[in-house]
Amino acid sequence: MAIAKAERLMNLALCLMNTRRPLSKKELRESVEAYREAWQQGSEDAFNRMFERDKDDLRELGLIIDVDENALDGEVGYLARRDRNRLPEIALDAEEAAALALAARVWQQAKMSGAASGALQKLRAAGVPFAEEREHGALEPRIPGREAAFEPLLTAARDRRPVTFDYRKAGAATAGPRSVEPWALECWRGHWYLAGYDRDRGSARVFRLSRITGKVRSRAGAFTGEVPEHVDVRAVVARFAGEGATAVATVKVRSGAAYPVRQRALETRPVDADWDELDIPYGNGLGADLAEYGPDVIVIGPEDLRADVIDRLRAVAGLAEVSQ
């Protein structure tokens, strides 16, 4: 079956590329044997479904198919012009090829793995000198992209489509609706973040994908806010996480827990077998971040940070008691 489909796609591509004028579906049906057999043994609908699937598959493979609505006395015509489907010679040196291969391998455990593998296959067919798999190092980067919101947000950011979703802020027990114009996604310290324009708040915001609940829904219409030329998601997230802050907080962290907090530590001092004391940068949003670790992190100082974390934990505990 796979060979038959590949042959059918090849024949359709040859018909579309080796004609000077658009061809109607009837002409293509007579030119491709598999279409003619499907029409004779089945029906017009069976042929139409097969043709539409094949046309979409060819476009997915990169073939540009032009559609002329009035090419043949009102009939729709199809044509793949050679000048639009002729790629320039691909010339990459070994270092550039290695960088592309590394970027593709990063996505192998994410939802983009199919597109990444397909891109590498096309480049190999064009003669790009990729190194053999056995030459790869034992340690390689991976981007999991497990959040359900990842793929629809990536697509919406690419297509410039507004979205809506329910979002639970750090330290909050319930989620609230957000209407966002997505700009860019970035992975930072093991978490995916979305930067975009929050329509309800009228300003740029950053959202952690793991805090998005329910489905991401696309909305019609154009962006209302100006999209910056460069979106530095990491810098915005770092600012809200306390990175680059001038103040310093002291916290106790349970052994074997809260590794993201440990990564920020300016200094670590063992307290006993169960606890370590850390000095970490203190900035906006740190209280909400620390509250997520519950009993594994205890704030020693400053007092305003300690009070902030305690208030957040009490609020969550109170909501939990009400729900029970």
Side-chain angles (χ1 to χ4, degrees):
M1 293 295 293
I3 295 175
K5 181 177 181 180
E7 182 180 357
R8 191 174 72 240
L9 290 176
M10 179 65 73
N11 289 336
L12 176 59
L14 290 173
C15 287
L16 294 173
M17 295 186 69
N18 289 282
T19 178
R20 295 180 179 275
R21 63 171 180 82
L23 299 176
S24 67
K25 285 199 291 187
K26 181 179 180 181
E27 290 175 312
L28 290 170
R29 186 185 68 200
E30 295 300 322
S31 301
V32 179
E33 183 179 358
Y35 291 159
R36 189 165 59 252
E37 292 177 353
W39 179 71
Q40 293 173 348
Q41 298 175 6
S43 65
E44 187 73 21
D45 289 339
F47 157 67
N48 286 332
R49 288 194 299 268
M50 180 182 291
F51 172 73
E52 293 299 327
R53 286 196 303 267
D54 289 349
K55 181 158 57 71
D56 291 341
D57 287 342
L58 286 178
R59 283 175 169 159
E60 182 67 23
L61 291 170
L63 188 69
I64 301 174
I65 302 175
D66 295 325
V67 179
D68 193 332
E69 299 288 345
N70 299 301
L72 305 164
D73 297 328
E75 290 190 62
V76 177
Y78 302 89
L79 173 67
R81 292 185 172 86
R82 291 197 174 192
D83 57 342
R84 298 191 64 193
N85 287 283
R86 183 181 295 112
L87 293 176
E89 182 180 354
I90 300 175
L92 300 176
D93 59 29
E95 291 183 356
E96 291 170 332
L100 283 176
L102 178 61
R105 293 202 305 277
V106 164
W107 292 100
Q108 289 308 304
Q109 292 180 352
K111 293 183 179 180
M112 299 294 291
S113 59
S117 298
L120 280 187
Q121 190 66 28
K122 292 175 185 177
L123 289 171
R124 287 193 181 97
V128 175
F130 289 110
E132 295 297 329
E133 294 296 326
R134 63 177 179 272
E135 297 178 5
H136 297 158
L139 298 177
E140 296 179 4
R142 289 289 187 268
I143 295 180
R146 299 186 184 93
E147 291 89 348
F150 176 84
E151 191 168 8
L153 286 176
L154 184 67
T155 302
R158 181 197 65 191
D159 297 340
R160 292 288 191 263
R161 291 203 310 267
V163 296
T164 58
F165 51 78
D166 291 332
Y167 187 74
R168 179 184 59 82
K169 295 193 298 184
T174 58
R178 296 295 183 96
S179 179
V180 179
E181 298 172 6
W183 293 343
L185 289 144
E186 185 161 345
C187 186
W188 188 68
R189 290 188 170 176
H191 297 287
W192 276 101
Y193 294 87
L194 167 73
Y197 179 77
D198 190 321
R199 288 180 166 180
D200 298 325
R201 290 154 182 79
S203 62
R205 288 290 191 273
V206 171
F207 307 91
R208 198 162 104 178
L209 266 61
S210 60
R211 295 188 182 132
I212 294 176
T213 62
K215 291 184 177 181
V216 175
R217 294 177 171 83
S218 297
R219 291 292 179 257
F223 282 9
T224 58
E226 183 179 355
V227 181
E229 292 184 3
H230 175 67
V231 183
D232 194 344
V233 182
R234 185 170 302 184
V236 178
V237 176
R239 183 169 66 252
F240 277 86
E243 296 291 326
T246 56
V248 175
T250 302
V251 299
K252 286 176 62 177
V253 178
R254 195 185 303 274
S255 297
Y259 287 104
V261 178
R262 292 178 179 275
Q263 290 179 336
R264 306 184 197 176
L266 303 173
E267 184 178 351
T268 301
R269 299 175 293 274
V271 176
D272 52 37
D274 298 322
W275 294 91
D276 295 319
E277 189 175 274
L278 281 62
D279 292 335
I280 59 175
Y282 174 27
N284 181 35
L286 182 60
D289 197 11
L290 295 179
E292 291 191 359
Y293 299 100
D296 291 330
V297 174
I298 299 174
V299 178
I300 306 299
E303 188 57 37
D304 60 338
L305 176 62
R306 177 179 173 85
D308 181 24
V309 173
I310 291 175
D311 288 344
R312 291 176 183 274
L313 293 175
R314 284 176 174 169
V316 174
L319 288 172
E321 291 178 1
V322 171
S323 64
Q324 291 177 357

